[in-house]
Amino acid sequence: MLSTRGRRIFEIPPNVISAGWTHCFMNPYNKDDNPTGVIDLGTSENKLMFDVLKAKIMEPDMFEGMTTEFTQYFGGIRRFNIAIADFLSERMKVTKPIDPRKLVVVNGVGPAIAALTMVICDEGDSILVPSPFYSGFISDIGDIPHVNIYPVPLSSQPGSSGIPWSLTVEVLEESMSRAKREGKNVRALLLTTPNNPLGCIYSREELLSYMHFAKRHGLHCIVDEIYMMTVFGDGLEHVSALSIEDPPDPDRLHVLWGFSKDFAMSGFRCGAVVTQNNDIVETLRKIMIFFSESTLAVWTLIKLLEDKGKNSDIWHMYVLFG
């Protein structure tokens, strides 16, 4: 017999992503053995860098210098936090270096969203999410935290900016007012930049306007920057929320990043939450054991992050993506 909570989880219908994965797993395409099988075009994974990553991971000295802490229960490894903080400080062009103590590492950005949602929202609360959005957010926010997405519908018609699917403060205010009329308790705004699925990149001015909106309404502002380095095109540049000097409400600004997209390492399951809010950091650390990643994966990622020599293939990958 299931508990009420277990029954609720059991009855959650599969989202588009998990349904697609199951379909592909059960009937995968193979040129010779299953030419009528399914080809997965819906999963954002970069397989083009596998040769570079494999060569690095297979280096004979990859695990030299490993200490006993990497074979014990995982409670966070300071060297990893420092390596991520240094890397993000450089790539995000932050106004001041990220403090490794204000960075919490978990097993992916999806789990990071789930964990963060649990500590800033109560069950039944809502989070504003510009729509269309990445369908995985439904599971990240809903399945375990039991929090609702309140969509902020964007128009495919060019608005005052002349750009379709444009997110404006006016659109946010309309959705916030509608949510209040419907009796929703909105606790946060979740943004993705570069955006999935739209591909747009929020400018510094846009991000600042969204942050001011969040502050006016007492909302947490969560910014998912998992595609930080996956920007292509002349004159295009990712602007990180952490590069904005004097954000309106730093205690409610939380930035997420992970290795899945920019490092083409989704199977390594590693993401990070960067926040100035000490209470949130401490609360996340108390539940880290349920969101921790493999220490062997952590060691490998440390070696990749610390490999900054100009003759390194990994260094050239940084240049390629950023």
Side-chain angles (χ1 to χ4, degrees), residues 71-103:
T71 60
Q72 299 167 350
Y73 286 118
F74 184 74
I77 294 172
R78 178 166 172 75
R79 180 176 169 185
F80 192 35
N81 280 45
I82 292 172
I84 294 177
D86 288 347
F87 174 76
L88 294 182
S89 293
E90 176 189 352
R91 304 307 304 190
M92 291 181 170
K93 300 178 181 178
V94 299
T95 55
K96 60 181 179 179
I98 295 171
D99 184 345
R101 296 170 298 181
K102 301 295 180 70
L103 186 151

Side-chain angles (χ1 to χ4, degrees), residues 100-156:
R101 296 170 298 181
K102 301 295 180 70
L103 186 151
V104 181
V105 181
V106 295
N107 56 334
V109 171
I113 292 173
L116 186 58
T117 298
M118 285 195 291
V119 303
I120 66 173
C121 297
D122 292 318
E123 288 195 6
D125 285 347
S126 296
I127 294 179
L128 295 178
V129 183
S131 176
F133 53 80
Y134 163 60
S135 63
F137 286 157
I138 298 172
S139 295
D140 300 339
I141 292 171
D143 288 3
I144 302 300
H146 201 198
V147 171
N148 304 305
I149 286 179
Y150 194 88
V152 178
L154 305 180
S155 174
S156 60

